[in-house]
Structures are given as C-alpha cells and as structure tokens.
C-alpha cells in the first residue's frame, strides 16, 4: 500500500524547503564522485549533477522501506509523520544503501567528467553547493516551494560565478534550462547537456564497440528538451548498431519512474511493459537518465541488461 | 446531482499556459496513454471547464498517476498543454486537499 499522497508530497516539499533536497543525503555521498578528479571549485563553466545520480541509491532503499513504512507507526499517524520529519530527517533513518549501490551511481558523473576532460572542455564543480534542482517538487505541483528553492539554486550558481552549467540527466537539464527561466526574473544561465556538448565536438573514438543495443529515449529529453540525435550520433560513432523499439524518438514510452514516489506498483508495471518493447529488439539497452536506468534495470530482473550511455561512451572515447 | 462552480477554473489555472478549454474531446490522448488513464486528460479537463469541482476531487489518484510524459501532448491535434494542465491540477490538490 503506498503512503498517502498528500503526506508524501508534504514530506518531500518540507525536505526541499528545510534541507535543500527532496531526499537529503550525506554530503560525503553527494561529492564522492569528484574524488581524484581535481576539479576547480566554481568558475564560469561547471559540471552540474543536481544530485540526480547520487540520490538513486537512497531512493531505491526508501522504496524498499516504503512497504514496511506503510505498516508502521509513521503511516498510522500520517500527519504526525510529516510533523516529525520537520524536526528530524526521517528518510535519513530509513535509507542505507550499500557501497556497491553508491559506487554504481558515483561512476556515472565521474564518466561524464572524464569524457569532458578528454574532449578538452574546461570546467569546475560546485561540490556541496551542487544542489538538487527541485524536479520532483515541480512534477508534484508544489510550486511555491519550488519557486523559493529555484531562487536558492540560482543565487548559489551566481555566487560561484557560473555562466554555463553542463548537466548530466534530462530532469536537471529541463529544470535549469526551461523551467527556471519561468520562475526567475532576468535568468541568464546557459545550460547544455553533456551529450550536446560532446556531440558538438569532433571527437575521434579511441576504440570501436560492437553489437546491437536498444535505445531508450527519456521522455524529458525527447519531448521536453529535443535531445534526440546527439546520443544516436555518439553511440553510432562508436560502431554500435542502435535498435529502435516500437515507441522511439518523439514517440518514446516512459520508464514509469515519475510515479515511483507515489505509486511504485504502477511505476513497475510501466517499466515492465517498456522492457518488453526494448527486449524485442535487443538483449542490451542503453539509458540516459538515472530514473530510467534504475526502473528498467529492476523491471528487467535479468531478462536484459541496461547500461547508462556514459558507460558506453567512456569505453569508446577513453584513451 | 453535480454542482457547477464557474469560478473553479480560475482556481485551477496557474498560468497563461493553462488551456483545458482547448480540448475538443477527440480521444487521441486516451488511446495513446501508456498508463491507460481513461479519465485524464479529457474527462477531467471537461470537469474543470464545467466547474465540477466535486468530480475533480474524486480523481486524485488519476491526477497523480500521470507520468507527465507528454506522449499525448505530442499527438494532441488541438495543442492542449496537457502536462502543464495536469501540473496545475496537482497544485490545486496540494492547496485544496493536502494544505501544502
Ligand atoms: S488529444 Fe487533445 S484535444 Fe484530443 S481529447 Fe486529448 S486533450 Fe483533448
Ligand atoms: S502525459 Fe503520459 S501518462 Fe499522462 S495522460 Fe499523457 S500519455 Fe498518459
């Protein structure tokens, strides 16, 4: 049984307002991906993660805990659960990802940083000031909370002298590029996704990869942000044969992830339908969003293998 | 009997983007929705336009089950801003039903 919708949204919105993220995670987990990369702090161009990849291990653990929680004292006193969360970070008690989970999702921003370095792009990072974009609050209609949070994020970027943010996932790209300008006056941040940055450079692959891969377009990339040809160009440049499922490109099917926080069963059903479509064209699938990756991987349950696009790119473009 | 409240649409409307009344009830969205949401967008949008607040309040689960994936919007012949309209409905629920 899912948690009541109103209380879940209330807790997520309170967290964003009080703790700057819908799901607060330890600073160490937010910045671990930067280790050994020697990235300057701030600067005109930064690689901005919006914590999306770092959050996934914690979301996975919370979803597991949610069924237990539904039977717990917290849901028995749902309104009280929200009151308690205002004082202490309830999700902090519930989510304890394993080291393996953490490493999986640290690897992806690291891949991207290494790819940009290899391409000769100069950039910094914001470390503990790399804040969550508020994408979930936006989706759930918590507009006042989001507006306040967006101002905080923008002020932080300005304080660090950032003029351009290079994003990794589709949701942060959409928030910073298309949603924030509707919320903040005189917004002038330039925002590009790293796939757009890399595809605009004439990168020569260091090795060729082989085989068929089913491409899963994220709905946010395909229908909100128009990122369609860039991933194809980069993957095909490596020699991979891309297989398009029945619903692809601007007609892509969602992974189900956007309803995970409220209706995990519905999310899993949609992910299962999508895996069937992808599996009909290849044994391996490529994703470009952490939510797609985690949902499809889980639904596949060994039926097929998924990799983040950066895992392919790093193999093909790293020396 | 359903009660109609004409001011209701103004309470749901969040921005100029909100255009539920542009829907011509063709059914493309219902046919194409991967979640099989039958009442969203067209039926719920019609309730909003007609001011039928009680009917909308019954549809909480449907409103929050939408993926905001825009597959319907991409194919809507009337240019209805379906995702933005659904977000406006959520904002209405947040304020009215959940007091957020
Ligand atoms: S596709 Fe557009 S016009 Fe047709 S019923 Fe749906 S919202 Fe209305
Ligand atoms: S946005 Fe997606 S999930 Fe929502 S009604 Fe349209 S097709 Fe269905």
């Amino acid at each position: 049984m899912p948690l009541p919708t109103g209380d879940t949204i209330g807790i997520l919105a309170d967290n964003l307002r009080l703790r700057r993220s819908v799901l607060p995670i330890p600073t160490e987990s937010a910045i671990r991906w930067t280790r050994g990369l020697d990235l300057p702090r701030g600067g005109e161009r930064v690689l901005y993660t919006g914590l999306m990849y770092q959050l996934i291990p914690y979301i996975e653990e919370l979803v597991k805990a949610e069924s237990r929680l539904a039977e717990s004292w917290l849901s028995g006193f749902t309104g009280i659960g929200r009151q308690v969360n205002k004082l202490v970070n309830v999700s902090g008690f519930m989510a304890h990802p394993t080291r393996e989970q953490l490493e999986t999702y640290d690897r992806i921003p690291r891949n991207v940083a290494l790819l940009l370095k290899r391409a000769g792009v100069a950039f910094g990072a914001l470390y503990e000031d790399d804040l969550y974009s508020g994408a979930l609050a936006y989706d759930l209609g918590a507009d006042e909370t989001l507006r306040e949070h967006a101002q905080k994020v923008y002020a932080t970027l300005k304080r660090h002298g950032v003029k351009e943010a290079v994003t990794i996932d589709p949701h942060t790209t959409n928030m910073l590029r298309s949603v924030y300008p509707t919320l903040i006056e005189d917004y002038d941040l330039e925002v590009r996704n790293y796939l757009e940055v890399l595809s605009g450079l004439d990168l020569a692959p260091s090795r060729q990869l082989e085989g068929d891969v089913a491409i899963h377009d994220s709905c946010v990339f395909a229908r909100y942000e128009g990122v369609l040809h860039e991933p194809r160009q980069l993957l095909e440049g490596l020699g991979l044969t891309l297989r398009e499922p029945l619903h692809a490109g601007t007609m892509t099917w969602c992974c189900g992830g956007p309803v995970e926080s409220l209706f995990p069963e519905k999310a899993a059903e949609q992910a299962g339908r999508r895996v069937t479509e992808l599996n009909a064209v290849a044994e391996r699938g490529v994703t470009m969003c952490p939510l797609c990756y985690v949902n499809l991987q889980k639904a596949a349950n060994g039926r097929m293998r998924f990799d983040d696009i950066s895992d392919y790119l790093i193999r093909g473009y790293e020396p | 009997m359903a009660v109609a409240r004409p001011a209701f649409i103004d309470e749901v409307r969040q921005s100029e983007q909100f255009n539920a009344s542009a829907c011509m009830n063709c059914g493309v969205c219902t046919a194409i929705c991967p979640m099989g949401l039958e009442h969203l967008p067209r039926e719920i949008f019609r309730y909003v336009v007609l001011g039928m607040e009680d009917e909308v309040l019954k549809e909480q689960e449907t409103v929050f089950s939408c993926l905001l994936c825009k597959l319907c919007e991409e194919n809507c012949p009337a240019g209805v801003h379906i995702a933005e309209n659904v977000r406006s409905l959520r904002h209405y629920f947040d304020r009215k039903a959940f007091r957020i």
Side-chain angles (χ1 to χ4, degrees):
Chain A
M1 190 187 81
L3 279 176
T5 302
D7 290 304
T8 308
I9 299 173
I11 287 175
L12 297 171
D14 290 340
N15 277 344
L16 192 62
R17 200 168 48 242
L18 301 170
R19 306 184 179 101
R20 306 195 305 182
S21 177
V22 283
L23 175 55
I25 62 172
T27 306
E28 165 60 14
S29 289
I31 65 172
R32 198 183 303 102
W33 69 274
T34 59
R35 256 190 219 156
L37 289 172
D38 202 19
L39 300 175
R41 186 173 287 268
E44 292 201 355
R45 184 188 296 117
V46 293
L47 178 58
Y48 198 83
T49 70
L51 299 186
M52 281 296 285
Y53 282 91
Q54 301 94 307
L55 275 168
I56 298 294
Y58 292 87
I59 293 175
E60 274 187 299
E61 287 304 293
L62 266 189
V63 169
K64 274 189 221 156
E66 192 175 340
S67 52
R68 300 197 295 273
L69 182 69
E71 307 300 326
S72 79
W73 58 273
L74 191 56
S75 65
F77 304 92
T78 43
I80 296 175
R82 188 176 166 203
Q83 295 310 318
V84 171
N85 183 66
K86 282 182 185 168
L87 302 173
V88 283
N89 175 17
V90 169
S91 50
F93 291 123
M94 291 164 47
H96 300 287
T98 63
R99 186 199 290 198
E100 194 189 348
Q101 279 173 301
L102 295 171
E103 278 171 3
T104 302
Y105 293 95
D106 283 343
R107 192 181 66 241
I108 293 160
R110 280 185 68 79
N111 284 346
V112 175
L114 291 168
L115 284 161
L116 291 171
K117 279 186 165 213
R118 157 103 167 91
V121 179
F123 63 96
L126 293 186
Y127 297 88
E128 66 281 358
D129 280 342
D130 184 335
L131 302 178
Y132 177 63
S133 69
L136 186 56
Y138 178 69
D139 280 2
L140 295 174
D143 290 2
E144 286 77 12
T145 311
L146 174 71
R147 189 178 292 274
E148 210 179 286
H149 180 72
Q151 305 280 357
K152 275 185 214 161
V153 173
Y154 189 52
T156 305
L157 287 157
K158 286 280 156 189
R159 182 157 49 80
H160 284 283
V162 178
K163 292 192 172 146
E164 183 186 1
V166 177
T167 53
I168 304 181
D169 72 280
H171 296 269
T172 308
T173 309
N174 174 244
M175 292 301 289
L176 264 56
R177 181 152 75 189
S178 305
V179 177
Y180 279 19
T182 68
L183 304 173
I184 300 169
E185 245 176 79
D186 301 324
Y187 183 84
D188 64 357
L189 186 74
E190 197 186 327
V191 181
R192 285 189 297 162
N193 182 265
Y194 83 97
L195 297 171
E196 295 169 319
V197 174
L198 292 179
S199 79
L201 302 168
D202 208 8
L203 278 184
S206 46
R207 65 180 67 82
Q208 287 287 303
L209 307 181
E210 284 179 358
D212 291 3
V213 185
I215 185 163
H216 169 72
D217 288 291
S218 120
C219 354
V220 176
F221 266 163
R223 287 190 284 268
Y224 286 68
E225 293 299 323
V227 179
L228 284 165
H229 82 269
E230 294 86 347
R232 287 168 173 76
Q233 179 200 318
L234 290 163
L235 291 168
E236 283 171 348
L238 296 177
L240 290 164
T241 305
L242 292 185
R243 298 288 176 200
E244 303 277 350
L246 187 60
H247 290 90
T250 56
M251 291 294 284
T252 189
W253 252 15
C254 181
C255 69
V259 295
E260 174 90 46
S261 62
L262 296 178
F263 305 109
E265 284 174 18
K266 291 185 192 202
E269 283 166 21
Q270 174 58 20
R273 288 190 285 270
R274 183 57 171 163
V275 169
T276 302
E277 278 198 343
L278 293 160
N279 204 12
V281 295
E283 298 292 315
R284 292 185 298 167
V286 60
T287 58
M288 307 160 209
C289 166
L291 299 177
C292 300
Y293 176 73
V294 68
N295 274 288
L296 296 177
Q297 182 91 292
K298 205 164 41 173
N301 198 19
R303 256 197 292 170
M304 69 183 288
R305 180 199 161 99
F306 287 93
D307 289 289
D308 185 84
I309 186 167
S310 71
D311 280 329
Y312 282 104
L313 299 180
I314 200 84
R315 266 181 267 151
Y317 290 106
E318 259 293 284
Chain B
M1 205 183 97
V3 180
R5 201 162 61 79
F8 178 50
I9 190 167
D10 294 321
E11 286 171 26
V12 175
R13 185 184 285 119
Q14 271 298 289
S15 67
E16 286 168 12
Q17 290 288 308
F18 186 82
N19 68 345
S21 47
C23 169
M24 54 191 194
N25 208 17
C26 70
V28 167
C29 50
T30 310
I32 211 167
C33 176
M35 296 294 275
L37 299 178
E38 285 177 26
H39 298 197
L40 196 73
R42 56 183 178 153
E43 196 171 313
I44 301 179
F45 287 179
R46 192 55 43 192
Y47 290 144
V48 175
V49 171
L50 293 172
M52 295 164 75
E53 186 174 16
D54 291 348
E55 295 302 317
V56 172
L57 284 169
K58 284 184 208 157
E59 299 286 354
Q60 176 188 308
E61 180 165 339
T62 310
V63 168
F64 284 93
S65 296
C66 171
L67 300 160
L68 302 178
C69 75
K70 283 198 181 179
L71 183 58
C72 51
E73 188 166 324
E74 182 78 22
N75 291 279
C76 170
V80 179
H81 303 143
I82 298 174
E84 187 55 24
N85 295 351
V86 172
R87 275 200 352 91
S88 294
L89 277 163
R90 289 180 177 180
H91 185 246
Y92 161 77
F93 271 97
D94 288 350
R95 279 173 300 150
K96 179 87 181 188
F98 311 146
R99 313 224 172 272
I100 291 168

